[in-house]
Amino acid sequence: MTSYLSMPITKISPLIQNKSISVKELLNLCLARIKKAKDLNAFITVTENVALEQAEQSQKRICEGHSLGVLDGIPIAFKDNWSTRDIRTTCASKMLSNYVAPYNGTVVQKLYDKGICLMGKTNLDEFAMGSATVDSFFGPTKNPWRSRLNYKVRKQADYDFPDSLSLKDDDFFIAGGSSGGAAVAVASGMCFGAIGSDTGGSTRSPAAMCGVVGLKPTYGLISRNGLIPLCNSLDVPGILTRSVDDAVLLLNNLAGPDIYDSTTVSKHYSPFTIPDNVDVRHLHIGIPNEYECPGMSPEVIESWRNVADKFSNAGAKVSTVSLPHTKYSIMCYSVLCCCDVASNFARYDGIRYGHRMTEKKTDSDHPYAVTRREGFGDVVRERILSGNFFLLRKNYEKYFLKAAKVRRLIFNDFKTVFDGGIDLLLTPVTLNEAAPYSEWTKIDNREHNAVDDFCTQSVNMAGLPAVSVPCELSKSELPLSLQLIGQPFGERQLLTAAKWLEEQMKFPSLEID
């Protein structure tokens, strides 16, 4: 029965519709998996009662012949920065640890209307600021491939594993971030799809490290209404699934204009499907020179070159291209992100909602300062302080305005390449495979943020669509993924090529026991 948990939505949905398995049976398998793998810490809140009620309603519709479609009865999770009515939305922060939103975000309501069963709210780095899902008030999330590796280390003594993979009992591999909980939930069979967010790679990075598909759509294609903001001009909803077809399915049900989000595009969205036999001979794939950067592992580079050769051997044209302002992008991103954080987070004052100071220590303590000191972790406080520094009148032109101008140059780099005949760009997602937590913490969080998002954040700066596709296992048997970057609103072409790549690589799914 557990084999059901390895299926994509497009395979399990027909079994539900023809009553080969009931919605409640499938739901109970997911709930059992959540309980069994509780140590992975994928969820902050498990909504078992809500899911069971939704499952009962879904099964009734299906039995009466009134199914709402392919998603009816499918277990789905949401990253815990999406507003859900009557269910707490914490952003993995003490500041919002007891916050209950009075409304559903647009994407939440859209999926409710399609009949999904809400499994719960998944873990993340506090307020989505991080690349490993270890900076959460509720504890770190652990990569599900960890248990697979430990099993092989114990059972196959003759297998030549690197020393770093002989983990101590309290160590684990990071899941990537900040949507690590969502990626782990999908990879390990706790749900069949999840909605995250992507500000600088927060969907694609954990998808890459956990061996699932991670889609970052074009800015404005899916509503951000109900997504608690980090950086308004960079944030987009993210989609995490087990297959490219599943990503297309969720995209089709989420995309389109929203009167509650003025940043969504007004043009009508046309749903699409991808044929099984994809021909890539008409594609021109670009390989950006600047993305082979210091610190990138030889295995990632080799995988990147092998996939480029596969496209070429299949008849696609493959060319090296230049995105000359890439080297400035991560610095530009860091400045703009901190500025947005400083502005957005002024609302957390301990008066209107959220954490309030427990007690006044001295007469000089101001309630606002104490509340924020108690409610925010170090990473959040550092970004707020940095953003306020960049926005000082004496620094505004030197930092914020200059970063905004460089952002336009980064966008123009992509535009020049695409106008020159390139259809898609092929790049790495992460510089390395998932690292053991003990190794990851040897480097300061700020340094991680300046390195880990190197291959992903420029896509957000330019508002482009991109998808992370798992390709192969490293020598350490950890997932290695690559990224395809498309033209604005070019999701059909992007995901068509991604499906071809998925079929070529045949990435092994995680064994769910």
Coordinates of all heavy atoms in Angstrom, one line a residue, residues 178-208:
S178 N 14.2 28.4 1.5 CA 13.5 28.3 2.8 C 12.3 27.3 2.9 O 11.7 27.1 4.0 CB 13.1 29.7 3.3 OG 12.1 30.2 2.4
S179 N 11.9 26.8 1.7 CA 10.7 25.9 1.7 C 11.1 24.5 2.0 O 10.6 23.5 1.4 CB 10.0 26.0 0.3 OG 9.7 27.3 0.0
G180 N 12.0 24.2 2.9 CA 12.5 22.9 3.2 C 11.5 21.9 3.6 O 11.4 20.8 3.2
G181 N 10.6 22.4 4.5 CA 9.5 21.5 5.0 C 8.6 21.0 3.9 O 8.2 19.9 3.9
A182 N 8.3 21.9 3.0 CA 7.4 21.6 1.9 C 8.1 20.5 1.0 O 7.5 19.6 0.5 CB 7.1 22.8 1.1
A183 N 9.4 20.7 0.7 CA 10.1 19.8 -0.2 C 10.2 18.4 0.5 O 10.1 17.4 -0.2 CB 11.5 20.4 -0.5
V184 N 10.5 18.4 1.8 CA 10.6 17.1 2.5 C 9.3 16.4 2.5 O 9.2 15.2 2.4 CB 11.1 17.4 3.9 CG1 11.0 16.2 4.8 CG2 12.6 17.9 3.9
A185 N 8.2 17.2 2.8 CA 6.9 16.6 2.8 C 6.5 15.9 1.5 O 6.0 14.8 1.5 CB 5.8 17.6 3.2
V186 N 6.9 16.5 0.4 CA 6.6 15.9 -0.9 C 7.5 14.7 -1.2 O 7.0 13.7 -1.7 CB 6.7 17.0 -2.1 CG1 6.6 16.4 -3.4 CG2 5.7 18.1 -1.9
A187 N 8.8 14.9 -0.9 CA 9.7 13.8 -1.2 C 9.5 12.6 -0.4 O 9.7 11.5 -0.9 CB 11.2 14.4 -1.0
S188 N 9.0 12.7 0.8 CA 8.9 11.6 1.7 C 7.5 11.0 1.8 O 7.3 10.1 2.6 CB 9.4 12.0 3.1 OG 8.7 13.1 3.6
G189 N 6.6 11.4 0.9 CA 5.3 10.8 0.9 C 4.3 11.3 1.9 O 3.2 10.7 2.1
M190 N 4.5 12.5 2.5 CA 3.6 13.1 3.5 C 2.4 13.8 2.8 O 1.4 14.0 3.4 CB 4.3 14.0 4.4 CG 5.4 13.4 5.2 SD 6.3 14.6 6.2 CE 7.6 13.6 6.9
C191 N 2.6 14.2 1.5 CA 1.6 14.8 0.7 C 2.0 14.6 -0.7 O 3.1 14.1 -1.0 CB 1.4 16.3 1.1 SG 3.0 17.3 0.8
F192 N 1.1 15.0 -1.7 CA 1.4 14.8 -3.1 C 1.9 16.1 -3.8 O 2.2 16.0 -5.0 CB 0.2 14.2 -3.8 CG 0.0 12.7 -3.4 CD1 -0.5 12.3 -2.2 CD2 0.4 11.7 -4.3 CE1 -0.7 11.0 -1.9 CE2 0.3 10.4 -4.0 CZ -0.3 10.0 -2.8
G193 N 1.8 17.2 -3.1 CA 2.3 18.4 -3.7 C 2.2 19.5 -2.6 O 1.6 19.3 -1.6
A194 N 3.0 20.5 -2.8 CA 3.0 21.6 -1.7 C 3.2 22.9 -2.4 O 3.8 23.0 -3.5 CB 4.2 21.3 -0.7
I195 N 2.7 23.9 -1.8 CA 2.9 25.3 -2.2 C 3.8 26.0 -1.3 O 3.6 26.1 -0.1 CB 1.5 26.1 -2.3 CG1 0.5 25.3 -3.1 CG2 1.7 27.5 -2.8 CD1 0.9 25.0 -4.5
G196 N 4.9 26.5 -1.8 CA 5.9 27.2 -1.1 C 6.0 28.7 -1.5 O 5.0 29.2 -2.0
S197 N 7.1 29.3 -1.3 CA 7.3 30.6 -1.8 C 8.8 30.7 -2.3 O 9.6 29.9 -1.9 CB 7.1 31.7 -0.8 OG 8.0 31.6 0.3
D198 N 9.0 31.6 -3.2 CA 10.4 31.8 -3.8 C 10.7 33.2 -3.9 O 10.1 33.9 -4.7 CB 10.4 31.1 -5.2 CG 11.8 30.8 -5.7 OD1 12.6 31.8 -5.7 OD2 12.1 29.7 -6.1
T199 N 11.7 33.7 -3.1 CA 12.2 35.0 -3.2 C 13.5 35.2 -3.8 O 13.8 36.1 -4.5 CB 12.2 35.6 -1.7 OG1 11.0 35.5 -1.1 CG2 12.6 37.1 -1.7
G200 N 14.4 34.1 -3.6 CA 15.7 34.1 -4.2 C 16.2 32.7 -4.6 O 17.3 32.5 -4.8
G201 N 15.2 31.8 -4.5 CA 15.5 30.4 -4.8 C 14.9 29.5 -3.7 O 15.2 28.3 -3.7
S202 N 14.0 30.0 -2.9 CA 13.5 29.3 -1.8 C 12.6 28.1 -2.1 O 12.3 27.3 -1.2 CB 12.7 30.2 -0.9 OG 13.5 31.1 -0.2
T203 N 12.1 27.9 -3.3 CA 11.5 26.7 -3.8 C 12.4 25.8 -4.5 O 12.5 24.6 -4.3 CB 10.3 27.1 -4.7 OG1 9.3 27.7 -3.9 CG2 9.7 25.8 -5.3
R204 N 13.2 26.4 -5.4 CA 14.1 25.6 -6.2 C 15.3 24.9 -5.4 O 15.7 23.8 -5.7 CB 14.7 26.4 -7.3 CG 13.6 26.8 -8.4 CD 14.1 28.0 -9.2 NE 14.0 29.3 -8.4 CZ 14.7 30.4 -8.6 NH1 15.6 30.4 -9.6 NH2 14.5 31.4 -7.9
S205 N 15.8 25.6 -4.5 CA 16.9 25.1 -3.7 C 16.5 23.9 -2.9 O 17.2 22.8 -3.0 CB 17.5 26.2 -2.7 OG 18.4 25.6 -1.8
P206 N 15.4 23.9 -2.1 CA 15.1 22.7 -1.3 C 14.6 21.6 -2.3 O 14.8 20.4 -2.0 CB 14.0 23.1 -0.4 CG 13.4 24.4 -1.0 CD 14.6 25.0 -1.7
A207 N 13.9 21.9 -3.4 CA 13.5 20.9 -4.4 C 14.8 20.2 -4.9 O 14.8 19.0 -5.0 CB 12.8 21.6 -5.5
A208 N 15.8 20.9 -5.1 CA 17.1 20.4 -5.7 C 17.7 19.4 -4.7 O 18.1 18.3 -5.0 CB 18.0 21.5 -6.1

